[in-house]
Amino acid sequence: MKTVFLTSWGHYEYNIMPFRLKEISATFQRLMTKVLGPHLYDFVMVYLDDIIIFFQTMDEHLQHMKKVLEAL
């Protein structure tokens, strides 16, 4: 991983992606595709740095949100 580095004080890695990493969109999209795979295109889509959840009723929205948050 490009964001991990070692020093004489220990092993460090970013908890969030730092600015200027060119691959961040592809990395995020690949991870979200893997994590949300079972629900992908049923009621959720991932585009660049967005997670888009589809619904028709408020109850359906809450069910879909719960499934997405559990997967995350």
Side-chain angles (χ1 to χ4, degrees):
M1 180 175 242
K2 294 179 181 179
T3 61
V4 176
F5 53 96
L6 297 172
T7 68
S8 57
W9 299 284
H11 169 182
Y12 294 92
E13 61 184 281
Y14 287 99
N15 290 328
I16 58 172
M17 279 294 185
F19 289 110
R20 307 195 103 176
L21 279 179
K22 294 179 183 177
E23 302 86 21
I24 186 59
S25 294
T27 301
F28 178 80
Q29 185 131 12
R30 189 170 37 253
L31 176 64
M32 290 298 105
T33 299
K34 186 175 183 179
V35 169
L36 298 173
H39 310 300
L40 209 56
Y41 304 112
D42 289 338
F43 59 84
V44 68
M45 289 179 63
V46 178
Y47 179 73
L48 297 179
D49 62 347
D50 297 321
I51 299 173
I52 305 161
I53 301 171
F54 299 98
F55 62 95
Q56 291 182 355
T57 66
M58 186 52 95
D59 289 334
E60 191 178 67
H61 177 60
L62 294 174
Q63 291 171 358
H64 292 172
M65 284 291 293
K66 182 177 180 182
K67 288 179 183 179
V68 169
L69 291 174
E70 285 173 349
L72 294 174

